[in-house]
């Protein structure tokens, strides 16, 4: 409910009138209130629950979630994937795909913005395999920004295109080791700046939306899909995007 919803708010909100904490929070709550409510059909078709089974991470065996409960059965999800719609003028008909989980292949947080295709391409797609341009915002680890564009390979005699990246690593560029997420929050507490924290109405709006998903899972008794620890989650999460002709990035 908290972390991933905050990322949705930060990427989808309109620019605040100032950096005053209430100005930032006012724009975030507008996003939460614009989230399209999940009907029973939406919950069934656009959400995936998962729970990790035994597997391997970095070459070391790790137990499954039931094993850590001494073999007790549990329907608690350790992975969730969602397709979300925001009903406002800017984001109408733009899907947001969210994925979060434990014991995945890698531990990192990032936002990938995939740009819309051009209305008309002068390059034959079947020959050049054009890919959409992407903006990747890496939150942790290795904070930075990467813009991936289709570019022509230099040289005469052909017009071959391939994706290339403009990559900004904060650590390499500025030579500074930045505090991690919780260190940053603790420093903001000491400074008396609540902008990065949720206001009460934000918490209530977020839970109001999330509760409809939880209720849908309970009513439909939606299955918790098993996935191997060290993978990118259950197969159903890939199917969720495959139906729209898309794939998670990095590809699973």
């Amino acid at each position: 409910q908290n972390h991933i919803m905050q990322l949705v708010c930060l990427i989808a909100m309109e620019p605040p009138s100032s950096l005053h904490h209430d100005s930032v929070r006012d724009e975030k709550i507008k996003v939460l209130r614009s989230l399209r409510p999940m009907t029973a059909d939406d919950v069934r078709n656009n959400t995936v629950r998962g729970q990790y089974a035994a597997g391997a991470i970095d070459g070391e065996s790790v137990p499954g979630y039931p094993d850590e409960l001494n073999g007790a059965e549990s329907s608690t999800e350790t992975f969730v994937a969602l397709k979300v719609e925001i009903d406002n003028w800017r984001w109408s008909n733009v899907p947001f795909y969210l994925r979060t989980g434990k014991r995945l292949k890698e531990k990192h947080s990032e936002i990938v913005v995939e740009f819309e295709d051009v209305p008309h391409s002068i390059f034959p797609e079947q020959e050049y395999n054009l890919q959409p341009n992407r903006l990747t915002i890496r939150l942790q680890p290795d904070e930075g920004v990467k813009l991936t564009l289709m570019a022509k390979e230099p040289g005469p005699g052909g017009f071959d295109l391939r994706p290339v990246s403009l990559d900004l690593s904060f650590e390499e560029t500025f030579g500074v080791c930045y505090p991690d997420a919780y260190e940053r929050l603790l420093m903001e507490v000491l400074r008396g700046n609540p902008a990065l924290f949720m206001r009460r109405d934000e918490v209530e709006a977020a839970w109001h939306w999330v509760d409809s998903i939880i209720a849908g899972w309970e009513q439909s008794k939606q299955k918790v899909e098993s996935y191997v620890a060290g993978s990118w989650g259950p197969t159903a999460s890939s199917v969720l995007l495959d139906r729209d002709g898309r794939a998670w990035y990095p590809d699973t």
Side-chain angles (χ1 to χ4, degrees):
Q1 177 277 127
N2 191 354
H3 295 82
I4 202 161
M5 298 306 297
Q6 284 292 289
L7 296 184
V8 173
C9 291
L10 290 170
I11 201 69
M13 73 181 194
E14 297 295 326
S17 58
S18 73
L19 287 180
H20 185 270
H21 55 85
D22 274 331
S23 295
V24 175
R25 290 156 144 185
D26 288 343
E27 296 303 329
K28 289 197 295 180
I29 197 170
K30 290 178 185 178
V31 176
L32 292 171
R33 290 172 175 166
S34 298
L35 289 170
R36 182 179 299 175
M38 287 274 193
T39 65
D41 286 341
D42 290 331
V43 171
R44 183 167 51 253
N45 296 325
N46 296 330
T47 72
V48 176
R49 306 170 70 196
Q51 185 183 95
Y52 62 84
I57 299 178
D58 295 331
E60 295 186 6
S61 298
V62 293
Y65 188 76
D67 300 327
E68 295 183 313
L69 299 178
N70 297 319
E73 292 186 3
S74 173
S75 61
T76 299
E77 64 275 354
T78 62
F79 174 98
V80 174
L82 306 171
K83 177 183 177 181
V84 175
E85 301 277 354
I86 299 175
D87 287 334
N88 60 24
W89 280 25
R90 183 180 295 278
W91 299 113
S92 179
N93 297 319
V94 176
F96 285 69
Y97 300 97
L98 317 179
R99 176 174 63 168
T100 182
K102 298 185 180 297
R103 291 279 172 86
L104 300 181
K105 186 175 182 179
E106 295 176 9
K107 184 176 181 178
H108 69 264
S109 300
E110 67 180 16
I111 298 166
V112 180
V113 180
E114 184 172 289
F115 292 96
E116 193 174 24
D117 290 336
V118 295
H120 171 71
S121 174
I122 61 175
F123 311 108
E125 291 188 5
Q126 64 275 16
E127 182 177 352
Y128 294 111
N129 189 27
L130 293 180
Q131 299 179 21
N133 296 334
R134 291 191 179 103
L135 175 66
T136 302
I137 304 170
R138 297 189 304 270
L139 305 178
Q140 63 175 355
D142 187 23
E143 294 85 349
V145 180
K146 180 169 69 173
L147 180 62
T148 303
L149 305 169
M150 293 298 295
K152 175 187 178 297
E153 292 189 8
F159 210 94
D160 295 329
L161 301 175
R162 66 184 181 91
V164 295
S165 295
L166 307 174
D167 199 346
L168 167 64
S169 168
F170 289 0
E171 185 175 357
E172 292 179 5
T173 303
F174 301 108
V176 177
C177 181
Y178 289 89
D180 66 23
Y182 289 105
E183 289 175 334
R184 171 79 185 278
L185 289 176
L186 288 172
M187 286 192 293
E188 294 301 302
V189 170
L190 296 175
R191 291 168 178 162
N193 180 15
L196 298 180
F197 298 87
M198 296 184 75
R199 202 166 57 192
R200 176 173 177 171
D201 52 356
E202 282 185 76
V203 176
E204 292 175 346
W207 272 115
H208 178 74
W209 185 79
V210 170
D211 278 343
S212 65
I213 299 175
I214 297 173
W217 286 341
E218 292 174 349
Q219 291 169 8
S220 64
K221 301 187 186 308
Q222 184 167 327
K223 179 183 176 183
V224 180
E225 307 282 344
S226 179
Y227 64 95
V228 177
S231 69
W232 281 117
T235 304
S237 68
S238 297
V239 175
L240 177 66
L241 268 71
D242 189 61
R243 292 200 309 259
D244 295 342
R246 306 176 189 274
W248 294 107
Y249 181 81
D251 297 338
T252 55

